[in-house]
């Protein structure tokens, strides 16, 4: 079994785990959904530390693209019938050398359209993508992420914001506290230039909770 096959099996297992967890989840809660940057968000631990007790669920799956997310939309969003959805999906789409902004727009827009059709009362917040630290990625051999530059992140954020405006949902950029003076992800917060340690999430936690609870 090669590493890609292993990760595909792992993703399927995570979806099955969420499918089973959904049986016990409260409907009408707040749901955070996305890929690895959402999956690794220590939501419940930070909530406990801050004395927040409202029900919230994390439905992030590492490695997911917009295609993967759309294929599993029922488990990640629809089955939970959230009152509010905070979504950050698509960063893995940016890894492709032949990234096509228009095709990306169509896929992400299709996800939002399906949610709105199925759950018209769900309040949707589309998060801007977080910055990366390109120097750290290069130093750590991030060959799979060499196309995920801050310039491409900025380009994709324009697309995400335009979808939000067209669909009448909110767009929120909570990443300011993560940026250094050059606009890159702060090295102190990052594992390898892309993902965060817990203090990186803590830096944006208050803003995320404002979005979740307002």
């Amino acid at each position: 079994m090669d590493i890609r096959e292993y990760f595909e099996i792992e993703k399927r297992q995570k979806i099955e785990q969420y499918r089973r967890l959904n049986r016990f989840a409260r409907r009408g809660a707040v749901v955070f959904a996305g890929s690895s940057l959402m999956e690794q968000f220590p939501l419940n631990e930070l909530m406990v530390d801050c004395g927040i007790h409202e029900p919230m669920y994390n439905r992030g799956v590492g490695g997911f693209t917009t295609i993967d997310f759309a294929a599993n939309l029922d488990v990640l969003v629809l089955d939970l019938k959230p009152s509010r959805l905070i979504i950050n999906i698509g960063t893995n789409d940016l890894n492709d050398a032949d990234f096509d902004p228009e095709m990306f727009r169509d896929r992400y827009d299709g996800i939002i359209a399906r949610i709105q059709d199925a759950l018209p009362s769900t309040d949707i917040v589309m998060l801007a993508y977080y910055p990366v630290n390109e120097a750290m990625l290069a130093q750590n051999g991030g060959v799979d992420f060499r196309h995920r530059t801050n310039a491409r992140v900025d380009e994709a954020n324009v697309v995400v914001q335009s979808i939000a405006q067209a669909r009448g949902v909110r767009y929120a950029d909570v990443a300011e506290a993560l940026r250094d003076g050059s606009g890159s992800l702060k090295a102190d917060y990052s594992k390898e230039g892309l993902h965060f340690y817990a203090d990186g999430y803590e830096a944006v936690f208050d803003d995320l909770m404002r979005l979740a609870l307002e």
Side-chain angles (χ1 to χ4, degrees):
M1 179 187 302
D2 65 23
I3 190 68
R4 293 186 183 277
E5 185 179 359
Y6 172 83
F7 283 130
E8 287 303 314
I9 292 171
E10 185 179 46
K11 286 190 284 188
R12 290 195 296 269
Q13 291 173 339
K14 288 176 183 177
I15 288 296
E16 182 58 25
Q17 172 73 346
Y18 285 149
R19 189 186 305 278
R20 298 183 186 214
L21 275 173
N22 285 352
R23 300 172 189 168
F24 311 108
R26 296 186 193 179
R27 273 48 185 172
V30 175
V31 171
F32 290 81
S35 54
S36 59
L37 283 164
M38 192 65 83
E39 182 182 10
Q40 295 178 25
F41 175 28
L43 172 63
N44 290 320
E45 186 165 345
L46 290 174
M47 287 175 60
V48 168
D49 291 344
C50 293
I52 299 172
H53 303 292
E54 285 76 2
M56 299 187 196
Y57 301 104
N58 186 329
R59 290 296 181 266
V61 181
F64 260 28
T65 64
T66 51
I67 294 172
D68 299 316
F69 195 92
N72 295 280
L73 190 62
D74 55 339
V75 174
L76 298 174
V77 178
L78 303 184
D79 290 351
L80 291 167
K81 296 180 172 59
S83 58
R84 179 164 296 158
L85 171 67
I86 299 175
I87 184 171
N88 184 359
I89 187 64
T91 53
N92 289 308
D93 297 55
L94 309 185
N95 299 338
D96 293 337
D98 57 351
F99 172 70
D100 184 328
E102 290 306 314
M103 291 181 64
F104 169 70
R105 180 195 302 273
D106 290 344
R107 291 194 301 270
Y108 204 164
D109 182 67
I111 289 169
I112 302 302
R114 286 177 59 194
I115 296 169
Q116 290 184 315
D117 287 345
L119 304 171
S121 63
T122 296
D123 182 33
I124 301 172
V125 181
M126 300 176 72
L127 291 182
Y129 299 130
Y130 299 122
V132 300
N133 188 306
E134 296 172 33
M136 286 185 72
L137 278 175
Q139 182 179 2
N140 288 289
V143 62
D144 290 337
F145 303 107
R146 64 185 180 276
H147 300 294
R148 198 191 299 191
T149 62
N150 282 315
R152 182 169 283 186
V153 168
D154 291 343
E155 177 185 17
N157 279 337
V158 172
V159 174
V160 174
Q161 187 170 21
S162 71
I163 295 169
Q165 290 172 342
R167 288 285 167 189
V169 305
R170 286 187 288 168
Y171 169 84
D173 185 344
V174 300
E176 186 58 34
L178 297 172
R179 297 186 177 100
D180 63 18
S182 69
S184 295
L185 176 62
K186 290 179 180 178
D188 286 349
Y189 286 158
S190 183
K191 299 175 181 179
E192 78 298 61
L194 179 66
H195 297 97
F196 314 152
Y197 288 112
D199 49 353
Y201 286 104
E202 195 277 334
V204 299
F205 182 74
D206 287 348
D207 287 335
L208 288 173
M209 287 300 100
R210 277 192 285 273
L211 291 172
L213 296 172
E214 64 185 11

